[in-house]
Amino acid sequence: ELAELLVQLGRAAYADCAAGDLTPAQWTALRFFSRANRFSRTVSAFAEFHATTRGTASQTVRSLVDRDLLARRRSERDGRSVIFQLTGSGRSMLRRDPLLALVRAAERLEPASSRSLGDELSRLRDWLAAERSSTATGKCARCGHLRREGEALRCGLMEEALEPSELEEYCLRFRPAAG
């Protein structure tokens, strides 16, 4: 029953997408690239997040680049990789995101209930990813790779310093923190 309810909520949230400017997959990509950390703004990471093939993800991303909603650039870490980021037009488009109706509905929950529901849904996501032998997307703040060295923050996996603002971004290399 819970699984059916989650699917029903998802479908209801996407009901307005068909009449909008973007497809549900394009909205998901736009949201993903707006929230992904600098290590995860790739087509491969989006494909994993969206549970689709790299080819399909590439077509979706290309359509957003063609519409000037995403910009592509070479990775500073690895000159062979391409990373994507939102353009000003992409940020403007997100202000019309059909998912905002679900966001407004969720804001009606009591703060404690909202936090609890978020924690439980995150656990469901992690368990489902483990069952599928795939990675779970999570925020750096809850990641087992996060290292706090005094005031400094560091991704232990990528061996890179992190800014405090990056802790709320999503990472495809996420590993749930112990406890």
Side-chain angles (χ1 to χ4, degrees):
E1 193 173 328
L2 177 60
E4 287 292 329
L5 181 57
L6 291 171
V7 169
Q8 184 182 14
L9 281 170
R11 288 201 175 280
Y14 279 110
D16 295 334
C17 284
D21 297 327
L22 302 176
T23 67
Q26 289 170 323
W27 279 115
T28 299
L30 205 57
R31 267 185 237 107
F32 173 80
F33 286 104
S34 77
R35 307 273 319 267
N37 70 11
R38 59 189 147 120
F39 310 118
S40 300
R41 293 184 195 132
T42 65
V43 169
S44 295
F46 171 64
E48 181 71 26
F49 173 81
H50 194 50
T52 192
T53 66
R54 285 190 180 126
T56 299
S58 182
Q59 288 177 345
T60 300
V61 170
R62 187 177 319 117
S63 71
L64 295 174
V65 170
D66 290 348
R67 293 181 70 167
D68 191 37
L69 300 174
L70 286 179
R72 62 184 296 143
R73 66 179 172 88
R74 290 273 171 216
S75 168
E76 294 173 10
R77 290 189 97 243
D78 172 9
R80 297 170 297 156
S81 300
V82 175
I83 62 170
F84 296 88
Q85 57 194 56
L86 259 67
T87 63
S89 298
R91 283 187 291 281
S92 293
M93 180 66 79
L94 277 176
R95 288 195 286 276
R96 298 193 320 259
D97 187 346
L99 196 63
L100 291 174
L102 183 57
V103 170
R104 287 188 298 274
E107 287 172 343
R108 299 175 89 180
L109 294 171
E110 293 293 327
S113 295
S114 180
R115 276 190 303 281
S116 177
L117 180 59
D119 290 344
E120 294 301 322
L121 290 174
S122 293
R123 274 193 276 284
L124 284 175
R125 178 207 54 219
D126 297 345
W127 293 332
L128 182 59
E131 190 170 303
R132 291 175 44 227
S133 298
S134 67
T135 57
T137 304
K139 292 182 180 182
C140 292
R142 295 181 173 189
C143 184
H145 298 300
L146 178 63
R147 303 287 175 257
R148 294 178 189 270
E149 301 164 352
E151 294 291 314
L153 301 168
R154 187 164 200 77
C155 174
L157 180 67
M158 302 303 287
E159 292 300 326
E160 295 260 353
L162 297 173
E163 295 295 322
S165 61
E166 292 179 289
L167 294 182
E168 292 304 310
E169 294 177 333
Y170 289 127
C171 184
L172 256 290
R173 294 176 177 95
F174 176 79
R175 182 188 75 205

